[in-house]
Amino acid sequence: MSEPVSVPAFADGVDASDIVRVNYARQKRQVMGLALAWAAISGVIAPFLFSEETIVELLLDVPYLVLVLKWCLIDAAQRGQQLGRVMRFALLLLMLFALAVYLLRSRGVAGILAVIQTLLFLALVIAINYAFQLATLHLGQAAGLWTLE
């Protein structure tokens, strides 16, 4: 049996094993990947909804709200900031506006570029969702599930 390896202590008495290295960039990329995946999944689900004003269609947007909130929480932790209750609530109710406000407040002038990047990412999410909806509609027509006019 091998003996446990001793971990060196820092000058302030903190062991190196107590330091947790968090890869915030990777966590944010994972959240963005989940948003893209959900765009595809909801694009496949949406054509099966027969009415555009259903609670189910509203529920398809809830994961986006959760993912934006999660991304902001990770970003705030990376920047050593806190996301207050009001901002969290605003992110859930007014997602795009509150996200732009958060980016501008947390980054200053560089937040303008972040807002532009966010809008480009949103366009990508919409394009993926639309492409999967079209593909599902055409596959459904080919399978005889519905007819497109």
Side-chain angles (χ1 to χ4, degrees):
M1 214 190 224
S2 63
E3 293 184 29
V5 178
S6 66
V7 178
F10 290 103
D12 59 358
V14 176
D15 287 333
S17 61
D18 293 338
I19 297 176
V20 177
R21 200 167 245 146
V22 178
N23 190 340
Y24 293 105
R26 187 186 76 210
Q27 289 181 355
K28 290 194 288 189
R29 281 192 307 271
Q30 288 173 341
V31 169
M32 292 171 73
L34 287 172
L36 294 175
W38 183 249
I41 292 167
S42 65
V44 171
I45 294 171
F48 290 96
L49 303 176
F50 298 109
S51 172
E52 292 188 21
E53 298 298 325
T54 64
I55 190 72
V56 176
E57 191 156 310
L58 289 174
L59 291 175
L60 287 177
D61 292 333
V62 170
Y64 292 120
L65 296 173
V66 172
L67 290 170
V68 167
L69 182 59
K70 178 68 175 165
W71 187 92
C72 288
L73 289 169
I74 294 167
D75 188 71
Q78 180 182 20
R79 297 177 181 286
Q81 299 175 349
Q82 288 189 350
L83 206 58
R85 288 182 186 161
V86 173
M87 182 56 82
R88 288 181 203 174
F89 187 69
L91 280 166
L92 292 176
L93 289 182
L94 307 164
M95 180 180 68
L96 290 177
F97 176 74
L99 181 58
V101 169
Y102 168 74
L103 292 171
L104 292 169
R105 286 185 66 203
S106 66
R107 290 165 172 75
V109 177
I112 295 170
L113 178 60
V115 169
I116 292 169
Q117 290 171 332
T118 300
L119 291 174
L120 290 173
F121 183 76
L122 177 63
L124 177 63
V125 166
I126 291 170
I128 288 172
N129 184 273
Y130 185 71
F132 274 83
Q133 282 188 38
L134 282 178
T136 303
L137 285 170
H138 287 294
L139 289 172
Q141 182 181 17
L145 296 175
W146 49 70
T147 58
L148 299 176
E149 297 176 13

